[in-house]
């Protein structure tokens, strides 16, 4: 399983709507809002370079998740 | 022949086909299992039932020499013989074993066939294998893999999509509103359509107010003005939506650990 890909294999043919990484970001109200606003801004500015930052809490969760994926 | 008994046997004969279909149309495609009428269910279960019964009949006939059709037809007759009934009660454990293994194989075959077709992405490549729930393919981006699709992905693939951003046009009291947000859930309806979509971090704006011209003829762009909708998620009923726009994104990171959404290409 990769954090930045949606899981799709023999056991998981029911493809999810978000990757594990985005699912974790969406779990945090501030981070999910930043993600959505980043999309809106990038569309209005016709630019793909509208970055957003995630909170420290989400960063720790993502790091833990990454470690867990790598250990498997 | 007893009508109650014949109905019971007919239902019993259809069980392998019913189980096969139930597991073949499971999970995201479970709505397709439901048919409008009893006859639709009967015919769609009949062919798989005939296949599984024929297979089991040959296996049990040649391997164990256990199948006695004369006894089967005899108990269906007006006056079943005592011998037939005795024979059935003596072989009851074999009958249970025969049917339970048949039901198990039929259910397992439906489940595995679905997994194989989906895993090989054969339903995306071949239209005759495609499930009827078209919305599932659109919302997950799997429709990019359809041979007929004119939007091909050159750098990414469908699994690279990390989230879907939705714009939904809804008309309320002759005014058009554009709702947008990140798609987090959807529900398919029994008629292979869409029941509703659920979006997160939704905002809305009035389309009529996107552009205004003042008295001096100066044009102003208000398309960045959004009305925030507080709450965890917003459910939009498909029946009230006029148009839907989907954008499929992946996330990229830069050197300072920032993320930026990029349209898949």
């Amino acid at each position: 399983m990769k954090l930045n890909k949606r899981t799709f294999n023999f056991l998981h043919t029911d493809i999810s709507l978000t990757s594990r990484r985005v699912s974790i970001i969406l779990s945090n109200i501030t981070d999910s809002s930043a993600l959505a606003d980043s999309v809106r801004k990038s569309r209005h500015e016709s630019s793909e370079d509208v970055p957003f930052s995630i909170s420290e809490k989400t960063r720790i969760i993502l790091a833990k998740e990454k470690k867990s994926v790598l250990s498997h | 022949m007893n009508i109650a008994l014949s109905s019971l046997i007919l239902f019993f004969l259809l069980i392998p086909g019913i189980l096969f279909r139930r597991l073949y149309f499971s999970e995201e495609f479970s709505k397709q299992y439901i048919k409008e009428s009893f006859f639709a269910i009967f015919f769609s279960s009949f062919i798989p039932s005939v296949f599984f019964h024929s297979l089991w009949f040959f296996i049990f006939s040649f391997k164990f020499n256990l199948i006695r059709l004369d006894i089967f037809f005899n108990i269906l007759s007006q006056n079943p013989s005592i011998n037939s009934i005795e024979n059935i009660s003596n072989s009851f454990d074999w009958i249970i074993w025969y049917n339970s293994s048949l039901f198990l194989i039929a259910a397992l075959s439906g489940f595995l066939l679905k997994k194989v077709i989906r895993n090989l992405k054969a339903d995306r490549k071949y239209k005759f294998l495609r499930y009827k729930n078209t919305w599932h393919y659109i919302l997950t981006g799997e429709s990019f893999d359809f041979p007929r699709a004119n939007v091909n992905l050159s750098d990414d693939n469908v699994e690279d999509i990390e989230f879907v951003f939705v714009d939904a046009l809804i008309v309320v009291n002759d005014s058009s509103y554009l709702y947008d947000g990140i798609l987090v859930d959807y529900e398919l309806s029994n008629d292979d359509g869409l029941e509703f979509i659920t979006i997160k971090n939704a905002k809305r704006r009035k389309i009529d107010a996107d552009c205004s011209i003042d008295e001096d003829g100066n044009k102003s762009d208000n398309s960045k003005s959004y009305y925030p909708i507080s709450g965890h998620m917003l459910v939009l009923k498909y029946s009230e939506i006029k148009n839907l726009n989907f954008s499929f994104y992946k996330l990229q990171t830069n050197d300072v650990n920032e993320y930026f959404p990029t349209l898949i290409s």
Side-chain angles (χ1 to χ4, degrees), chain B:
Chain B
M1 189 171 78
N2 187 317
I3 291 173
L5 181 66
S6 63
S7 303
L8 192 69
I9 288 170
L10 183 69
F11 173 71
F12 211 70
L13 290 173
L14 282 176
I15 288 178
I18 292 169
L19 288 172
F20 174 82
R21 285 195 70 248
R22 189 69 202 89
L23 272 288
Y24 184 72
F25 297 113
S26 55
E27 297 174 318
E28 68 273 38
F29 302 111
S30 56
K31 292 282 166 72
Q32 199 176 332
Y33 170 76
I34 300 158
K35 296 276 181 186
E36 299 84 31
S37 64
F38 170 77
F39 288 103
I41 295 170
F42 177 84
F43 284 111
S44 56
S45 302
F46 182 73
I47 294 169
S49 287
V50 168
F51 171 78
F52 285 109
H53 277 294
S54 308
L55 185 73
W56 239 228
F57 175 79
F58 282 110
I59 289 172
F60 272 72
S61 298
F62 291 111
K63 184 84 177 163
F64 306 109
N65 198 21
L66 285 170
I67 309 287
R68 292 274 308 273
L69 283 178
D70 55 326
I71 294 172
F72 175 72
F73 286 116
N74 185 267
I75 60 156
L76 292 178
S77 63
Q78 287 277 1
N79 301 305
S81 71
I82 298 291
N83 280 345
S84 298
I85 293 166
E86 275 181 2
N87 201 306
I88 284 174
S89 43
N90 291 337
S91 312
F92 199 70
D93 49 347
W94 271 106
I95 294 169
I96 294 286
W97 201 88
Y98 174 93
N99 283 295
S100 50
S101 59
L102 175 62
F103 297 164
L104 186 71
I105 288 294
L108 206 62
S109 302
F111 182 73
L112 288 177
L113 185 63
K114 182 208 156 190
K115 290 285 178 187
V116 168
I117 287 174
R118 290 282 296 151
N119 195 45
L120 294 174
K121 300 175 184 174
D123 58 329
R124 300 185 207 173
K125 291 173 198 157
Y126 307 108
K127 200 172 180 182
F128 73 97
L129 289 175
R130 201 166 298 159
Y131 292 88
K132 278 186 182 173
N133 295 336
T134 320
W135 280 108
H136 167 81
Y137 294 103
I138 295 169
L139 297 171
T140 56
E142 289 181 34
S143 55
F144 279 115
D145 286 340
F146 290 178
R148 206 179 60 177
N150 290 321
V151 190
N152 293 318
L153 300 176
S154 52
D155 300 329
D156 305 304
N157 60 48
V158 170
E159 283 72 45
D160 289 328
I161 297 167
E162 290 202 64
F163 68 97
V164 186
F165 201 83
V166 179
D167 303 271
L169 184 72
I170 293 178
V171 178
V172 182
N173 294 334
D174 294 331
S175 293
S176 303
Y177 291 91
L178 196 69
Y179 288 78
D180 67 15
I182 299 163
L183 181 69
V184 286
D185 195 17
Y186 62 88
E187 184 68 36
L188 300 169
S189 62
N190 289 342
D191 59 355
D192 304 322
L194 199 57
E195 195 71 41
F196 61 79
I197 58 167
T198 309
I199 56 174
K200 199 170 161 53
N201 298 109
K203 285 191 176 179
R204 76 154 206 231
R205 71 172 202 260
K206 202 174 178 183
I207 294 283
D208 308 339
D210 261 7
C211 176
S212 59
I213 300 168
D214 62 20
E215 288 173 355
D216 300 327
N218 298 318
K219 194 177 169 185
S220 61
D221 178 18
N222 303 320
S223 62
K224 290 178 193 169
S225 308
Y226 283 96
Y227 179 82
I229 301 165
S230 48
H232 282 93
M233 53 187 79
L234 178 72
V235 177
L236 299 173
K237 278 173 76 179
Y238 179 66
S239 57
E240 291 172 1
I241 298 172
K242 292 283 174 195
N243 296 104
L244 278 168
N245 176 48
F246 301 102
S247 306
F248 300 90
Y249 284 92
K250 62 180 179 181
L251 282 183
Q252 289 188 313
T253 47
N254 57 19
D255 299 336
V256 286
N257 267 333
E258 286 179 325
Y259 292 89
F260 50 99
T262 313
L263 279 167
I264 59 151
S265 53

Side-chain angles (χ1 to χ4, degrees), chain A residues 4-6 8-11 13 15 18-19 21 26 32-33 37-38 40 43-44 48 51-52 59, chain B residues 115 118-119 140 142 158-162 167 180 200-201 203 223 226 247 251 259-262:
Chain A
N4 60 345
K5 295 227 182 217
R6 295 186 298 173
F8 184 78
N9 54 38
F10 188 80
L11 292 175
T13 53
I15 197 163
T18 58
S19 66
R21 178 165 66 173
L26 290 180
S32 66
S33 180
D37 286 339
S38 174
R40 288 185 189 104
R43 292 164 129 201
H44 285 293
E48 287 201 335
F52 70 96
R59 201 181 299 281
Chain B
K115 290 285 178 187
R118 290 282 296 151
N119 195 45
T140 56
E142 289 181 34
V158 170
E159 283 72 45
D160 289 328
I161 297 167
E162 290 202 64
D167 303 271
D180 67 15
K200 199 170 161 53
N201 298 109
K203 285 191 176 179
S223 62
Y226 283 96
S247 306
L251 282 183
Y259 292 89
F260 50 99
T262 313

Side-chain angles (χ1 to χ4, degrees), chain A residues 6-42:
Chain A
R6 295 186 298 173
T7 311
F8 184 78
N9 54 38
F10 188 80
L11 292 175
H12 291 97
T13 53
D14 190 356
I15 197 163
S16 56
L17 287 169
T18 58
S19 66
R20 182 76 190 117
R21 178 165 66 173
V22 169
S23 167
I24 290 168
I25 291 171
L26 290 180
S27 305
N28 184 298
I29 293 172
T30 318
D31 296 332
S32 66
S33 180
L35 169 62
D37 286 339
S38 174
V39 172
R40 288 185 189 104
K41 206 173 173 189
S42 70

